[in-house]
Amino acid sequence: MPRYSYEPFAYTTPPEIAGGPSGQYPVAIVGAGPVGLAAAIDLAQRGVRVVVLDDNDVVSVGSRAICWSKRTLEIFDRLGVGERMVEKGVTWKVGRLFHREREVWSFDLLPEDGHKMPAFINLQQYYVEQYLVERAAALPEFIDLRWKNRVVSVEQSAGDVRLGIETPDGPYHLDAAYVLACDGARSPLRAMLGLDFEGQVFEERFLIADVEMKADFPSERWFWFEPPFHKGQSALLHKQPDEIYRIDLQLGPDADPEEEKKPENVIPRIARVIGHDRFELDWVSVYTFQCRRLARFVHGRIIFAGDSAHIVSPFGARGGNGGIQDIDNLCWKLALVIHGEGPPSLIATYDEERIHGADENILNSARSTGFMTPKSEMERIFRDSVLELAADYAFARRLVNSGRLSKPCSLAGFSLQTQPSQAEGLEPGTVMPDAPVLDGSEHGWLLNRIGNGFALLAVDCAPPPGLPAGLHVVQTVRDGQGAAADGVTRLVDAQGRVAERYGAGLLYLVRPDQHIAARFRHADGQEIAVAMMRAMGRE
């Protein structure tokens, strides 16, 4: 199969240079990677015009982020590319851990069925960016995607951000009410504002190699501690589409990155992993572990997301997934503010909630690093003892850490959620679990039917009267008998999964990012309206 073809995107002279109309954009997004493109599409679907500025004109070179989690796929599905990603990607849910010559144990990340999206897929970042670019191109009335537009300066005032931009046709200025900095780990915008990360840089270096070969490795995550082919270190193997395999190899702190990337050094290492040299190198990189973030993500009208806001080691698939979940949290809030439906202070809750998410990812990533690369003899004895016991004892398996894989964090207890008066059901702040439903005679999924705004989910019960305007009401029932009330989307829970996962007789107020804002056993329209106002930052 031919490898990915990096076709450049067309550069167009900006209207500010060509003499066309210009003015203040509601939002300017710096960076057309997965995070920036996802933000553009999310805002466009909420009726917000955006301009996206990128200094390049191709998708990312190399596979880079490849592991996309169930929650991130659900977000991508709402943005219109989830099904395409799953169709192309390699679906997996089983991970296997090895210590030296033996398998220690294996795990299943999604043992139950009844979900639209799988636990994980492996799909190269360049495909994800291509699909997002094509989706953005289908929304031209809202998204102005500008290639070869490099931001070189930024000035911020009380009501505006002015960006200085260089292009092949010369420089120009662009004004925006808000700017999203999605320009990656080496963020120029972060540097322009004089900001820096706080946290820890680890000494260990790792080699990433993408190799093209024909092989019968299963669609699983394989991780080795001290394998015979790479003694004293660790290794990871993932299968990708197009007969490409990702191999990560620990190198140690003294490795020279430039030397290690040379084919004459990489090829023998890979040959020892797979047992032959019948492969071709597709992409090679060397990286160091980092667990760092900005002290704040919101700086006036400039908001940081993804790697420009925080960075973690790749083990655990928390970087790309965390960035997409940033956007999922931010864009509905920003859209409410821009449309005058939410107060500007609502944006501050992005800091509150996603710093929590970043800290959770950093904690898990740092713990993975400590387990994978012991820094003292006692740490190594502990690690090796855990691996020895894990094959036979369940308690030890919980201590094995080759990267705690990404899953959505709970927002329980933060300011937008309403504390329930009863203990049953799902906790406010958790993300909605999916479930199969029938919409008339059509088979579908709950998350696809819940909508893109605030919603009320009534599980095996009738929604109360007097609900606030603009609230999408979804009722699930165990059979299709009877008619739905006016303005209510009625779904049949034919397999009983909704009642099983949510609890029959409960009402859930759902935020636009599909996190639960409030839960009720009994409530009138006024109680739900108060919880909705709180979730919009208007309490």
Side-chain angles (χ1 to χ4, degrees):
M1 176 173 285
R3 297 184 190 178
Y4 187 84
S5 177
Y6 295 93
E7 299 295 333
F9 300 112
Y11 164 79
T12 302
T13 303
E16 290 81 359
I17 294 177
S22 61
Q24 188 192 69
Y25 278 83
V27 178
I29 299 171
V30 183
V35 174
L37 291 167
I41 295 165
D42 200 337
L43 288 167
Q45 292 184 165
R46 300 183 190 282
V48 177
R49 288 192 313 117
V50 303
V51 58
V52 183
L53 307 163
D54 196 277
D55 61 359
N56 207 340
D57 63 352
V58 293
V59 296
S60 64
V61 176
S63 62
R64 300 184 183 272
I66 65 166
C67 295
W68 304 100
S69 71
K70 177 179 181 291
R71 179 57 198 149
T72 301
L73 293 170
E74 291 165 350
I75 296 167
F76 277 134
D77 199 35
R78 181 173 58 76
L79 301 181
V81 298
E83 291 181 0
R84 189 177 182 188
M85 288 177 61
V86 172
E87 182 180 2
K88 177 66 178 178
V90 173
T91 296
W92 66 277
K93 65 173 186 171
V94 172
R96 298 189 184 278
L97 288 147
F98 303 86
H99 186 211
R100 300 185 179 124
E101 291 85 359
R102 69 171 186 154
E103 181 174 343
V104 176
W105 67 294
S106 64
F107 55 87
D108 188 333
L109 293 166
L110 191 64
E112 64 176 14
D113 59 9
H115 297 264
K116 179 179 181 180
M117 291 297 167
F120 272 91
I121 66 165
N122 289 345
L123 181 65
Q124 296 93 321
Q125 183 171 319
Y126 43 73
Y127 280 118
V128 177
E129 291 184 14
Q130 174 193 328
Y131 299 165
L132 289 169
V133 168
E134 292 169 1
R135 172 64 179 141
L139 300 165
E141 67 274 29
F142 290 105
I143 300 176
D144 180 359
L145 185 48
R146 302 184 186 182
W147 305 104
K148 290 292 186 181
N149 279 240
R150 183 166 68 94
V151 175
V152 295
S153 67
V154 57
E155 298 176 13
Q156 183 171 190
S157 64
D160 186 80
V161 182
R162 169 159 283 204
L163 299 174
I165 301 162
E166 290 184 351
T167 76
D169 291 320
Y172 71 97
H173 288 94
L174 182 144
D175 296 322
Y178 291 92
V179 169
L180 304 191
C182 306
D183 51 345
R186 295 182 176 89
S187 169
L189 267 179
R190 193 176 64 232
M192 290 174 204
L193 293 182
L195 303 173
D196 201 0
F197 282 147
E198 301 173 352
Q200 187 174 6
V201 178
F202 295 89
E203 294 180 349
E204 289 295 330
R205 287 193 168 95
F206 279 76
L207 172 78
I208 294 178
D210 279 356
V211 300
E212 182 181 3
M213 64 179 178
K214 294 188 180 296
D216 57 0
F217 293 114
S219 300
E220 298 174 346
R221 180 187 195 260
W222 285 8
F223 190 98
W224 292 267
F225 292 97
E226 302 179 314
F229 55 76
H230 194 53
K231 290 186 177 180
Q233 308 281 25
S234 61
L236 174 69
L237 183 143
H238 271 290
K239 183 178 182 180
Q240 303 177 69
D242 304 340
E243 297 180 336
I244 302 289
Y245 288 80
R246 160 72 65 82
I247 297 171
D248 290 51
L249 295 173
Q250 182 183 354
L251 298 176
D254 299 324
D256 182 332
E258 296 308 313
E259 281 296 315
E260 295 296 346
K261 286 190 290 187
K262 292 179 178 178
E264 61 266 29
N265 293 321
V266 175
I267 289 171
R269 290 187 185 278
I270 302 302
R272 288 194 291 270
V273 176
I274 61 179
H276 61 78
D277 60 1
R278 297 183 301 277
F279 61 86
E280 292 185 32
L281 289 179
D282 185 57
W283 176 66
V284 176
S285 182
V286 174
Y287 63 90
T288 55
F289 275 169
Q290 296 188 53
C291 294
R292 302 194 295 160
R293 68 165 172 85
L294 288 173
R296 292 182 292 113
F297 299 167
V298 179
H299 292 263
R301 291 178 172 267
I302 302 172
I303 306 168
F304 290 81
D307 284 352
S308 71
H310 47 74
I311 189 166
V312 294
S313 72
F315 291 97
R318 293 176 177 271
N321 289 294
I324 298 302
Q325 289 163 33
D326 286 347
I327 292 308
D328 190 47
N329 185 285
L330 171 63
C331 286
W332 68 270
K333 299 172 180 178
L334 188 56
L336 284 178
V337 172
I338 288 170
H339 291 316
E341 298 170 3
S345 58
L346 180 61
I347 296 173
T349 67
Y350 168 70
D351 247 350
E352 176 188 30
E353 294 182 340
R354 286 312 298 165
I355 283 177
H356 165 68
D359 283 347
E360 185 174 288
N361 286 335
I362 286 171
L363 176 63
N364 279 282
S365 187
R367 286 175 173 172
S368 299
T369 304
F371 193 84
M372 293 164 56
T373 60
K375 298 301 185 292
S376 69
E377 186 59 26
M378 286 305 299
E379 287 182 359
R380 182 170 296 279
I381 290 171
F382 171 78
R383 198 273 303 273
D384 291 350
S385 299
V386 166
L387 292 171
E388 185 68 27
L389 292 167
D392 300 312
Y393 298 99
F395 82 90
R397 294 169 193 163
R398 292 192 293 271
L399 301 174
V400 176
N401 195 338
S402 65
R404 302 288 190 216
L405 288 158
S406 173
K407 57 183 181 180
C409 67
S410 172
L411 304 176
F414 289 110
S415 60
L416 299 186
Q417 280 61 256
T418 296
Q419 185 65 30
S421 58
Q422 76 288 338
E424 56 192 327
L426 296 174
E427 185 178 32
T430 57
V431 71
M432 292 181 69
D434 205 2
V437 293
L438 283 172
D439 190 350
S441 60
E442 181 182 347
H443 289 271
W445 298 94
L446 178 62
L447 294 185
N448 290 148
R449 298 301 195 273
I450 206 69
N452 207 29
F454 278 94
L456 182 73
L457 174 64
V459 183
D460 286 350
C461 62
L467 292 170
L471 184 63
H472 176 49
V473 182
V474 176
Q475 179 188 26
T476 62
V477 295
R478 292 305 302 272
D479 60 56
Q481 301 302 311
D486 289 344
V488 174
T489 298
R490 196 163 183 265
L491 305 174
V492 178
D493 182 19
Q495 298 181 27
R497 298 286 193 178
V498 179
E500 174 188 317
R501 291 170 186 168
Y502 287 82
L506 294 175
L507 297 163
Y508 290 91
L509 177 67
V510 180
R511 301 173 5 162
D513 58 5
Q514 298 177 343
H515 280 261
I516 294 165
R519 181 191 71 225
F520 307 94
R521 169 60 71 178
H522 303 289
D524 57 28
Q526 179 60 29
E527 289 176 277
I528 292 169
V530 169
M532 183 171 168
M533 293 289 281
R534 180 178 297 116
M536 297 173 72
R538 295 170 58 186
E539 186 185 38

